[in-house]
Amino acid sequence: MSATSRILAGRILTPQGWLDGELTVRGERIAAIRGTPVDDDGKACRYILPGFIDTHVHGGGGADVMEGGEAAVTIARQHARFGTTSLLATTMTAPRADIEAALTAIGAACRERTPGGARILGVHLEGPYINPGKLGAQPAEARAGVLDEVEAFMRLAPLKLITVAPEVSGHLDLIRSLADRGVRVQLGHTLGRYEDGVAALEHGASGFTHLFNAMTGLHHREPGMVGAALAHAEYAELIPDLLHVHPGAIRTALRAIPHLFCVTDSTAAAGMPDGDYKLGSQPVTKCLGGVRLADGTLAGSTLTMNVALKNLVGIGLTLADASNRLSRYPADYLGVTDRGRLEEGGYADLVLLDTQLNLNEVFVEGECLGLADA
C-alpha cells in the first residue's frame, strides 16, 4: 500500500531561501518541494517552516522529566502542540539512582515516537557535573563527573548533550573523553573564568548552556565564561523568553556567536495555568509569566517554541533567521541531517503559520497534530 500524500501550499523556507509553491508530504518524509524563489516581503498568505528542535526541555503539561514513567511522553505531546517536532529530554542534578530512573524511562520513550508527540532524540544531562556554587535552580546534589558513571548512564538512554562546569577538578579530561565519544559538551552552571572556558573549548566542549544564566558574567578585566562564549563560541543556547535575558544582551550574542540557537528550558508549568509545580525535586511556582523558586530564583521557564519565534522576530530578526535559530542550527549542532530543514527526503517535520506567525498546523514525521488552545 502506498503512503498517504498531502500537498501543502504557501511560502516555504528551504536551505536555499524562500519559495512560493507547494510541499508534498508522503508518509513520514518530504517527497517534493516545488516553487518560485522569492524574497519574503511579509505578504505571504501562509508560511511553511521547519519544525522546531528544542535541546533543553525539563517538562511541560504538568509533567517533569525526573518523574520517570510516562512523563517524557506527556512532555513530548505537550510541546508538539506548540510546534516542537523533536527535543532532548533534560534531566536535573540529582542522586545517581534518581537520574538512572529518569533515563530508563526516557530511553524507552526514545525508541518509538508516541503518536501526537514530538520525537525525543535523546537526553540533555544538565548536571550533576556542575559547580555547587552556581546551582541556579538545580538541587544541591552537584558532584565531579566520573566517566564510568556517564558510560552507565549512556547504556540507559542516548546521551546527546551534557552540561559541565569546566573548572571542577578532572572535568577537562572528562570533556575530552565525552567529545571523543561524540557527546556534545556544553559549559554551564559554572563559576569558571574566561581561561577555563577557553581551555574547555580546546578540550572539545562545543557550546554553552543557557548563555548568560548561571555563569560568570562579562567584565572588561575579568571576561568570565560569558566572555569566553562571546569571543570563541560557534554555538551556544539561549532562552529568548525576554525574562532570562534582556533583548540587548540577546542582540550582543547574535553579533558574536555565528550559530546561536534558542531553547525553552521549559518546566512542567509550560502550557499550564499559574500555580505550583515541580522542577526535579524542587517546588516551583508559575506566576507573572515565569517560574521561580520560593526565594525568587528563576527556575526554568514557561516558554514554548512558537512564542520564542515571535519573540525573536519582535526584537528585529527576520523570520528566516529566527527559524534557523530554532530549527536548522540546533539540528546542525546535534549532527542531525534529516530534520531542522525542509528538503526532499527529510522527515516531514514542519509548522504552518499565518501572517501573524500563529500556528495553523504542525506535522511530526508526516503526522498532522492538533494544536494548543493558546
Side-chain angles (χ1 to χ4, degrees), residues 41 45 62 69 73 110 114 122-123 131 133 167 186 194 200 230 241 246 249 284 288 295 307-308 310:
D41 56 7
C45 295
V73 171
C110 288
T114 300
V123 175
N131 194 311
E167 71 277 10
Q186 290 186 171
Y194 168 89
L230 296 178
D241 61 352
H246 188 281
V284 298
L288 302 175
D295 65 3
V307 175
K310 288 185 176 182

Side-chain angles (χ1 to χ4, degrees), residues 5 55 86 110 133 183 213 246 274 282 310 355 358:
S5 295
T55 65
S86 52
C110 288
V183 178
N213 299 117
H246 188 281
D274 286 359
Q282 306 269 67
K310 288 185 176 182
T355 56
N358 299 310

Side-chain angles (χ1 to χ4, degrees), residues 65-66 68 91-92 94-104 141 281:
V65 162
M66 296 301 294
T91 60
M92 292 284 286
R96 177 169 176 166
D98 292 352
I99 295 174
E100 288 179 336
L103 292 179
T104 298
E141 297 283 351
S281 62

Side-chain angles (χ1 to χ4, degrees), residues 102-157:
L103 292 179
T104 298
I106 298 166
C110 288
R111 286 191 282 275
E112 185 173 350
R113 185 181 70 85
T114 300
R119 169 65 69 176
I120 302 176
L121 298 173
V123 175
H124 175 176
L125 194 75
E126 190 189 13
Y129 312 132
I130 61 176
N131 194 311
K134 205 67 168 175
L135 291 172
Q138 298 270 346
E141 297 283 351
R143 58 186 183 272
V146 179
L147 185 59
D148 287 350
E149 182 177 71
V150 178
E151 290 178 332
F153 291 159
M154 294 172 74
R155 289 191 286 271
L156 299 175

Side-chain angles (χ1 to χ4, degrees), residues 12-345:
I12 306 164
L13 181 61
T14 74
Q16 294 75 38
W18 293 103
L19 298 177
D20 275 346
E22 295 180 339
L23 181 150
T24 302
V25 175
R26 183 172 299 127
E28 296 183 339
R29 301 280 178 166
I30 298 171
I33 301 175
R34 301 287 184 269
T36 303
V38 293
D39 292 326
D40 184 38
D41 56 7
K43 297 179 180 179
C45 295
R46 183 166 69 169
Y47 291 102
I48 303 175
L49 305 181
F52 307 131
I53 299 177
D54 193 348
T55 65
H56 197 142
V57 181
H58 290 288
D64 184 277
V65 162
M66 296 301 294
E67 295 172 15
E70 293 296 307
V73 171
T74 298
I75 292 162
R77 283 178 170 157
Q78 178 75 343
H79 283 278
R81 296 166 63 226
F82 295 97
T84 295
T85 54
S86 52
L87 58 85
L88 296 184
T90 304
T91 60
M92 292 284 286
T93 297
R96 177 169 176 166
D98 292 352
I99 295 174
E100 288 179 336
L103 292 179
T104 298
I106 298 166
C110 288
R111 286 191 282 275
E112 185 173 350
R113 185 181 70 85
T114 300
R119 169 65 69 176
I120 302 176
L121 298 173
V123 175
H124 175 176
L125 194 75
E126 190 189 13
Y129 312 132
I130 61 176
N131 194 311
K134 205 67 168 175
L135 291 172
Q138 298 270 346
E141 297 283 351
R143 58 186 183 272
V146 179
L147 185 59
D148 287 350
E149 182 177 71
V150 178
E151 290 178 332
F153 291 159
M154 294 172 74
R155 289 191 286 271
L156 299 175
L159 297 190
K160 301 294 186 181
L161 179 59
I162 298 181
T163 293
V164 170
E167 71 277 10
V168 174
S169 178
H171 276 188
L172 288 181
D173 289 338
L174 178 65
I175 290 169
R176 170 56 66 198
S177 296
L178 292 172
D180 288 345
R181 286 163 172 77
V183 178
R184 302 294 191 273
V185 179
Q186 290 186 171
L187 310 180
H189 288 277
T190 170
L191 288 171
R193 305 164 301 150
Y194 168 89
E195 290 79 8
D196 295 314
V198 172
L201 292 170
E202 291 173 345
H203 278 73
S206 54
F208 293 78
T209 295
H210 42 52
L211 183 65
F212 297 109
N213 299 117
M215 63 180 62
T216 46
L218 175 69
H219 184 278
H220 59 283
R221 286 191 293 272
E222 296 180 9
M225 198 60 62
V226 169
L230 296 178
H232 300 284
E234 183 74 18
Y235 289 93
E237 59 163 67
L238 181 144
I239 308 168
D241 61 352
L242 309 186
L243 180 63
H244 277 78
V245 184
H246 188 281
I250 297 176
R251 291 176 182 274
T252 300
L254 288 167
R255 290 184 66 126
I257 301 175
H259 297 104
L260 184 78
F261 62 92
C262 295
V263 299
T264 63
D265 195 8
S266 58
T267 64
M272 300 295 286
D274 286 359
D276 295 328
Y277 297 91
K278 296 294 287 278
L279 176 59
S281 62
Q282 306 269 67
V284 298
T285 300
K286 177 182 179 180
C287 62
L288 302 175
V291 182
R292 296 181 184 271
L293 302 179
D295 65 3
T297 301
L298 281 171
S301 83
T302 64
L303 184 65
T304 53
M305 291 292 257
N306 62 320
V307 175
L309 181 76
K310 288 185 176 182
N311 287 348
L312 292 175
V313 172
I315 66 170
L317 277 69
T318 66
L319 180 56
D321 191 12
S323 172
N324 283 337
R325 297 180 189 281
L326 299 175
S327 302
R328 186 175 179 181
Y329 294 166
D332 291 346
Y333 181 61
L334 295 176
V336 174
T337 59
D338 53 6
R339 303 179 194 269
R341 56 189 59 78
L342 300 182
E343 292 182 314
E344 293 180 3

